[in-house]
Amino acid sequence: MRHDLTTLNLVLAIAESRSITRAAEREHLALAAASKRLSDLETRLGVKLFERRARGVEPTEAGRALVRHIRSLHASLHALESEVMEFSRGIKGHLRIAANAGAIAECLPGDLAAFARAHPQIRISLEDLTSAEVQTAVAEGRADVGVFAPPLHDKHLLTWPYRAGRLVALVPKGHVLARSFQGTAGVSFEALLDFDMVGLHIGASVHELMLQRALERGRTLNARLQVRGFDAIAQLVGAGLGVAVLPEAVARRFASLFAIDVLPLDEPWASRRYLIAARDVAQGEGAAARAEAERALQQLSLPAVVQRFVEALLSAGSTQAS
């Protein structure tokens, strides 16, 4: 079913002005023509979009739903126009990246900046999502490349190991765990579970990891406070409201700003590696074909800008490993 933009813009104008007359004026239409457009659209959709009231018109539930989609369409059209116009200014491509908070805070910025310097004609956008959301965004084509922490939820994604990271414990300055840590390899997760935890929101990879490990021990994760930023976690821990588990590089930076101690986490799962993900162009060919494609990146039919970016991250990751 086709809808012309003039009619859709009219619907939006009616919803915003609460008047067919004012909407017709705004869209430079005769009142009779505007009324006919609205009537024809309602007939085609089989629903009433507006109800007449004493003080004008009000959108029905169907009308409100249509208005939401019209606004979303306008946003998409604006993005489309902006992106296409960039080509006139020398932009040669657009790379959409989705990454989890840990990767953004710990390792991605430097590699992203190096890639941007080497490819100034490529426009880069970055979205902060949970690891699960990163995978969904890549699988659905809303992101070209994803960087996230395991586990891998979508087996149809092509993945490559990127950079290594380590989780550490964060406790208030002078905390009992900091005093008892002296001379040991690190603090155990079991010991952390005796205290209130400050962490990221549900769905964040560290939160899900801690929740799983607590359940394996038959313990409860006392997630007292959940926020959406590492800096907020560090401040809350420094204020004595609990303990936390954070990526080490992030924790070390905050240790000079807040009243906190950073302790090694004596757990095998404290070491982790971020993964790079792209859409699997070999779907349906089986695991062996996908594994071969992952080993031979140059043989993949990825968009050129995506392939260049993945190669750049792999090169940066291998430099760290060596």
Side-chain angles (χ1 to χ4, degrees):
M1 183 181 294
R2 294 183 178 180
H3 303 292
D4 65 274
L5 281 175
T6 300
T7 301
L8 295 180
N9 287 339
L10 173 65
V11 170
L12 182 60
I14 295 172
E16 291 177 347
S17 67
R18 296 295 195 268
S19 167
I20 297 176
T21 301
R22 288 195 295 272
E25 292 174 353
R26 183 172 120 179
E27 298 303 314
H28 307 290
L29 294 169
L31 179 58
S35 296
K36 187 175 189 311
R37 281 180 176 273
L38 177 59
S39 176
D40 289 348
L41 179 60
E42 289 178 327
T43 299
R44 194 156 66 243
L45 294 174
V47 294
K48 196 76 172 171
L49 297 174
F50 294 94
E51 296 284 357
R52 284 171 172 76
R53 307 290 187 196
R55 296 186 177 180
V57 296
E58 290 287 337
T60 62
E61 285 298 324
R64 282 191 283 271
L66 180 58
V67 166
R68 285 197 302 272
H69 286 290
I70 293 172
R71 286 181 173 139
S72 176
L73 175 62
H74 277 191
S76 296
L77 289 174
H78 178 72
L80 180 152
E81 182 179 7
S82 298
E83 186 171 332
V84 172
M85 286 180 64
E86 286 178 340
F87 284 88
S88 68
R89 300 196 294 269
I91 298 297
K92 301 299 184 183
H94 181 199
L95 181 65
R96 301 166 302 165
I97 305 164
N100 76 325
I104 293 173
E106 198 166 20
C107 54
L108 189 56
D111 295 338
L112 200 56
F115 183 82
R117 287 193 297 270
H119 303 86
Q121 294 178 319
I122 294 176
R123 178 174 176 264
I124 299 172
S125 61
L126 173 64
E127 186 174 10
D128 179 357
L129 300 173
T130 68
S131 289
E133 291 169 341
V134 168
Q135 296 175 62
T136 300
V138 175
E140 293 179 352
R142 292 183 284 111
D144 301 307
V145 180
V147 181
F148 65 97
L152 175 65
H153 299 299
D154 193 326
K155 303 299 183 183
H156 292 123
L157 292 177
L158 288 168
T159 60
W160 300 267
Y162 172 37
R163 285 186 177 271
R166 186 164 186 85
L167 298 172
V168 295
L170 213 63
V171 300
K173 202 77 173 176
H175 191 271
V176 61
L177 289 178
R179 296 195 301 270
S180 62
F181 159 69
Q182 304 299 327
T184 66
V187 63
S188 70
F189 184 59
E190 187 81 27
L192 292 179
L193 290 174
D194 291 334
F195 302 91
D196 288 330
M197 300 292 297
V198 181
L200 293 175
H201 51 91
I202 295 173
S205 60
V206 173
H207 175 83
E208 296 301 313
L209 179 61
M210 291 194 298
L211 186 61
Q212 180 183 349
R213 294 298 181 253
L215 289 174
E216 289 172 357
R217 290 169 165 80
R219 299 287 303 276
T220 299
L221 184 68
N222 299 315
R224 179 181 179 184
L225 298 169
Q226 291 178 284
V227 293
R228 297 193 68 90
F230 292 135
D231 57 338
I233 292 175
Q235 291 183 68
L236 291 169
V237 171
L241 292 173
V243 300
V245 172
L246 288 185
E248 182 173 20
V250 178
R252 297 292 178 194
R253 289 200 295 270
F254 288 134
S256 61
L257 300 175
F258 307 113
I260 55 177
D261 284 323
V262 178
L263 309 178
L265 187 56
D266 188 18
E267 298 288 345
W269 49 266
S271 296
R272 62 178 185 169
R273 179 172 283 277
Y274 294 104
L275 299 178
I276 305 166
R279 291 185 70 182
D280 186 354
V281 294
Q283 284 191 33
E285 297 185 15
R290 289 197 297 274
E292 182 61 30
E294 290 175 351
R295 285 194 295 271
L297 177 59
Q298 69 276 10
Q299 296 178 9
L300 292 176
S301 56
L302 294 174
V305 63
V306 174
Q307 182 152 334
R308 269 184 247 149
F309 183 64
V310 173
E311 288 173 343
L313 291 191
L314 290 176
S315 176
S318 64
T319 300
Q320 180 203 36
S322 62

